[in-house]
Amino acid sequence: MCSVMKRFAALVLALMTVAVLGAGQAAASRAAAAVPVKSGTERSVTLEDEILQALNQIRADNGLRPLKQSNALRTAAAGHSVALLGAGVFQHESPDGTTFDVRIRRDYSTRGFFSWSVGENLLATTGTLSAAEAVRLWMNSPPHRRNILSPGWRDAGIGAVYTASASGAFGARSAWVVTLDFGYRTGGSATVSDRGNEGSQKTKRLPAGSTRRS
């Protein structure tokens, strides 16, 4: 990735689906504020809420049901934004190479559900960022727009993180990274744990496409 890019609304991945084995145990969702941030890095829960509100307005305007805020997806999204800024990279994979579905599944569990799907939009930009601008950038990119307007999603979680100086791909400048994770699970109970032992799960990865805007 070119480090001199001023603004980039990046990468949307195709859905990933899994066949789930076994059942889960009851547990409470973790709060949005549970993700730690490093010194010099700030997370804006207010911006996250405003983006979700704007997304749901767009979905309503298109006759779609609203996305329900998921603490599990929110934790996954915020953790990814923090990790990208810390490592100076911009990608769906974690800095350690973990694929995006495996990363999300650590918080948005497959356990106790018969089907499970996730998707992700990423956005990085310098300077200031508003909810309207974030949504505008995604909606102007066809792959990101398709994710936002997909009727299949039920849950969403957003992680909006800022730092005054980000290294690597961000060129030692101020940067926002926003991760938007989508999810849909069926066949489970509302009391199923947001975290469980995923070792017995089988994952089928569908073809993935990506795009980057400068």
Side-chain angles (χ1 to χ4, degrees), residues 180-204:
L180 165 58
D181 287 335
F182 302 91
Y184 177 56
R185 302 183 289 194
T186 60
S189 165
T191 61
V192 170
S193 173
D194 276 333
R195 180 182 290 273
N197 180 4
E198 317 303 346
S200 64
Q201 310 310 322
K202 297 181 180 179
T203 302
K204 180 180 180 182

Side-chain angles (χ1 to χ4, degrees), residues 82-121:
V82 170
L84 294 184
L85 284 173
V89 297
F90 189 58
Q91 60 195 35
H92 284 289
E93 294 77 16
S94 298
D96 66 3
T98 301
T99 59
F100 103 113
D101 60 312
V102 172
R103 164 174 51 81
I104 294 174
R105 193 171 64 212
R106 291 169 180 163
D107 295 288
Y108 189 69
S109 177
T110 60
R111 192 176 182 190
F113 295 90
F114 297 121
S115 64
W116 179 94
S117 299
V118 291
E120 183 169 87
N121 283 3

